[in-house]
């Protein structure tokens, strides 16, 4: 299933050709299923995006990845998602979520986009360097145009795009990745949820109900 037209329109002709070629070269099998590669883009039109959460690549366990960064369709929650929920509860003083799917965030204007949109089963980072990075970077650059947005850059891969963003215009929140290896280096206590909602309110926009999951 191709990317939605509204998002394809943000790519140059050369980037669209590159994406078509890339799609034909993705190894089989891969996660998430092909019909969910662009789910983050199918949920939201470009002009509906208020918050961008940039991940690295999909979860590589069976049944986990659903095309939304950090989101789990079913099964046990990976450690990084558990850490996100821990920070959510500490930040907003809310109850732990009942599900691992972050679709309710996406439906409120949160673009949950990975730098790399596919992965081979059981092989984290296996599709890095295949060509996804230039495409997702183009979409991030497009998001930096127009209405101010909040950008969450978690980890070194996401942080590389900080230079593409005008911090005077947007809310740019950088933090270590929420994985067990780095979450204690500054992810915990970063309070992205409350900071983002305070900023959205200051912009005269509706905050995100982050604990509605």
């Amino acid at each position: 299933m191709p990317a939605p037209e509204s998002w394809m329109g943000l790519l140059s002709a050369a980037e669209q050709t590159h994406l078509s070629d890339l799609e034909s070269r993705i190894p089989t099998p891969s996660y998430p299923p092909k019909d969910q590669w662009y789910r983050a883009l199918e949920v939201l039109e470009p002009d509906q995006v208020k918050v961008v959460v940039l991940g690295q690549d999909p979860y590589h366990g069976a049944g986990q990845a659903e095309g939304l960064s950090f989101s789990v369709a079913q099964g046990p929650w990976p450690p990084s998602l558990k850490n996100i929920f821990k920070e959510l509860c500490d930040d907003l003083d809310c109850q732990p979520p009942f599900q691992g799917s972050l679709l309710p965030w996406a439906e409120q204007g949160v673009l949950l986009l990975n730098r790399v949109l596919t992965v081979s089963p059981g092989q984290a980072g296996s599709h890095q360097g295949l060509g996804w990075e230039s495409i997702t970077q183009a979409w991030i650059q497009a998001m930096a145009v127009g209405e101010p947005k909040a950008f969450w850059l978690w980890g070194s891969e996401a942080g590389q795009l900080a230079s593409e963003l005008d911090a005077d215009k947007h809310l740019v929140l950088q933090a270590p990745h929420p994985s067990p290896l780095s979450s204690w280096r500054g992810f915990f206590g970063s309070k992205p949820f409350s900071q983002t909602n305070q900023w959205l309110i200051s912009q005269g926009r509706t905050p995100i109900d982050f604990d509605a999951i």
Side-chain angles (χ1 to χ4, degrees):
M1 183 178 296
E5 275 189 34
S6 56
W7 289 91
M8 287 295 287
L10 300 177
L11 303 178
S12 68
E15 288 165 340
Q16 292 182 25
T17 299
H18 169 72
L19 180 56
S20 179
D21 174 66
L22 170 63
E23 290 171 341
S24 69
R25 293 186 289 104
I26 297 301
T28 302
S30 65
Y31 295 143
K34 188 173 183 178
D35 63 357
Q36 293 184 351
W37 287 359
Y38 302 111
R39 193 171 184 212
L41 309 179
E42 292 165 354
V43 178
L44 286 170
E45 292 293 319
D47 61 1
Q48 295 176 318
V49 176
K50 297 193 288 188
V51 182
V52 179
V53 179
L54 193 58
Q56 295 182 0
D57 63 346
Y59 295 124
H60 53 83
Q64 292 181 318
E66 61 172 341
L68 306 169
S69 64
F70 298 106
S71 184
V72 168
Q74 59 187 10
W77 299 347
S80 58
L81 183 60
K82 291 180 181 178
N83 287 339
I84 290 170
F85 287 161
K86 181 182 186 304
E87 179 62 18
L88 170 70
C89 295
D90 289 346
D91 186 4
L92 301 184
D93 192 25
C94 62
Q95 295 297 312
F98 292 102
Q99 64 175 12
S101 177
L102 303 181
L103 181 61
W105 292 2
E107 293 173 337
Q108 296 178 73
V110 181
L111 177 62
L112 296 159
L113 187 68
N114 280 313
R115 286 299 312 276
V116 175
L117 301 188
T118 56
V119 69
S120 292
Q123 301 178 50
S126 52
H127 293 189
Q128 292 178 359
L130 290 183
W132 283 119
E133 290 90 344
S134 62
I135 298 299
T136 54
Q137 179 170 345
W139 280 325
I140 294 298
Q141 289 170 332
M143 290 298 94
V145 178
E147 287 288 317
K149 299 172 183 68
F151 289 86
W152 299 1
L153 308 180
W154 291 345
S156 58
E157 290 289 325
Q160 291 174 4
L161 293 184
S163 61
E164 306 284 345
L165 306 172
D166 181 355
D168 292 328
K169 173 181 177 181
H170 305 289
L171 177 66
V172 181
L173 301 179
Q174 288 188 257
H177 194 274
S179 71
L181 293 175
S182 57
S183 56
W184 294 99
R185 300 174 187 166
F187 176 78
F188 289 139
S190 59
K191 300 186 180 300
F193 307 97
S194 60
Q195 285 194 74
T196 294
N197 276 343
Q198 290 165 8
W199 180 80
L200 286 170
I201 291 170
S202 76
Q203 297 282 318
R205 306 175 76 181
T206 304
I208 306 295
D209 187 2
F210 285 113
D211 59 349
I213 50 178

